[in-house]
Amino acid sequence: MVSEELKKNISADDNFLISSHINPDGDSIGGMLAVGWLLDKLHKKYIIVTDSPVSEKFKYLAGFEKIIRYSDNLRMDFKIKNLIVVDSPNLERLGKVKRLIPEDIQIINIDHHESNSLFGDINCIDLKAGACTEIIYDLIHSFGITLDKNVAEYIYTGIVIDTGRFRFSNTTAKTFGISAKLLDAGARISFIAEWLYHTNSIETLKGLGFLLNSLETANNGKVAIVCFDDTYLKSEWWERVDTEGFVNYPLSIEDVEVAIFLQEIETDKVRVSLRSKSKINVNEIAKIFGGGGHAKAAGCRINGTISDAKKLLLQEIGKRMN
Ligand SMILES: [Mn+2]
């Protein structure tokens, strides 16, 4: 349910900063744009800033270019009074965007992560929501504003990405109910499916081949690990690889319960994606390393080499498996 307090503050106050977690996914991107769309309707000023670049994959969303990547020279022509955070369990996950937050700001926290630390002055958390954009759908609905094609696609994108195309257990009857309304409002569902799931760059496929070559298992075949190491980083095409969904390949192996995807983002800094089929809560593991997420999908960053990260993660997973 959307609280009256949230509604009141969004309509009363001016000047918003909208952000989401580092390496924003479809739910973050769709969610930020949907909040921006609502603020436009309410004639508010806002700016959307993220720590990391947004994947070109989502460029079909109208106004995609409104999402600005953080830089130290970023100048705003208005003073921000409110921060709306979408899809982030805590403020640390905003990365460098944290530097833009003044002391006296009001924080509005819209999220569906189990691990959410309730960091907002107003917390709008719905753990049952398949995607944050479902919560934003309710918010827009509470204002009685009619959806158009653009916002329908923002919301739909969040839902398709976070529910794994309506397959994960977070998919509810409400998810389908909202999706029906989005279809009515003009969301191009078959175009989006074709673009998100059946269109790849050659670099992405080369990257996937490279990644699958590194596949190994541990814990009697219950953990599968894939990684991108230095050699990959030295290729001149790796930046054009879209790694979204790669971690699902090792997870698809029969008997594998947990999949680990390691990517050395810079020397001695490893980006970790964790997926679980059910028994092991990977959110708990990611939290140990300062990350977070959901029970079945989580991420974190570990300082060290790929093999350091592997050892640390296998230790933690091992403790929970035995
Ligand atoms: Mn989400």
Side-chain angles (χ1 to χ4, degrees), residues 21 25-28 86-88 111-113 129-133 158 162 294:
H21 60 76
D25 56 26
D27 189 29
S28 316
V86 178
D87 202 39
S88 183
D111 193 27
H112 66 143
H113 288 88
C132 271
T133 58
D162 266 24
H294 304 277

Side-chain angles (χ1 to χ4, degrees), residues 77-198:
D77 52 7
F78 54 82
K79 189 177 178 319
I80 304 162
K81 285 202 190 152
N82 305 273
L83 165 67
I84 302 187
V85 180
V86 178
D87 202 39
S88 183
N90 53 54
L91 278 181
E92 278 57 55
R93 293 282 289 162
L94 296 192
K96 294 187 283 292
V97 175
K98 266 189 81 178
R99 297 181 197 162
L100 295 173
I101 310 176
E103 280 281 303
D104 54 346
I105 203 164
Q106 169 170 264
I107 301 177
I108 298 169
N109 168 16
I110 303 178
D111 193 27
H112 66 143
H113 288 88
E114 183 191 3
S115 55
N116 193 285
S117 66
L118 305 180
F119 57 85
D121 299 299
I122 301 173
N123 297 295
C124 189
I125 311 297
D126 182 356
L127 300 183
K128 290 209 176 73
C132 271
T133 58
E134 286 188 18
I135 305 173
I136 299 163
Y137 172 91
D138 283 343
L139 177 62
I140 293 172
H141 187 75
S142 74
F143 279 98
I145 302 172
T146 311
L147 303 176
D148 65 14
K149 169 188 152 281
N150 293 348
V151 73
E153 292 192 349
Y154 303 152
I155 297 170
Y156 185 75
T157 298
I159 291 177
V160 208
I161 294 291
D162 266 24
T163 62
R165 295 177 258 177
F166 305 94
R167 293 170 307 160
F168 301 157
S169 53
N170 58 357
T171 311
T172 63
K174 184 176 175 186
T175 312
F176 283 109
I178 292 175
S179 300
K181 303 277 187 217
L182 302 175
L183 190 53
D184 274 343
R188 297 166 296 168
I189 63 162
S190 88
F191 164 80
I192 292 173
E194 189 62 31
W195 176 254
L196 286 182
Y197 299 107
H198 303 286

Side-chain angles (χ1 to χ4, degrees), residues 264-276:
E264 194 166 341
I265 42 173
E266 52 192 82
T267 310
D268 285 339
K269 196 163 210 184
V270 179
R271 179 176 159 190
V272 180
S273 294
L274 299 167
R275 292 293 181 278
S276 166

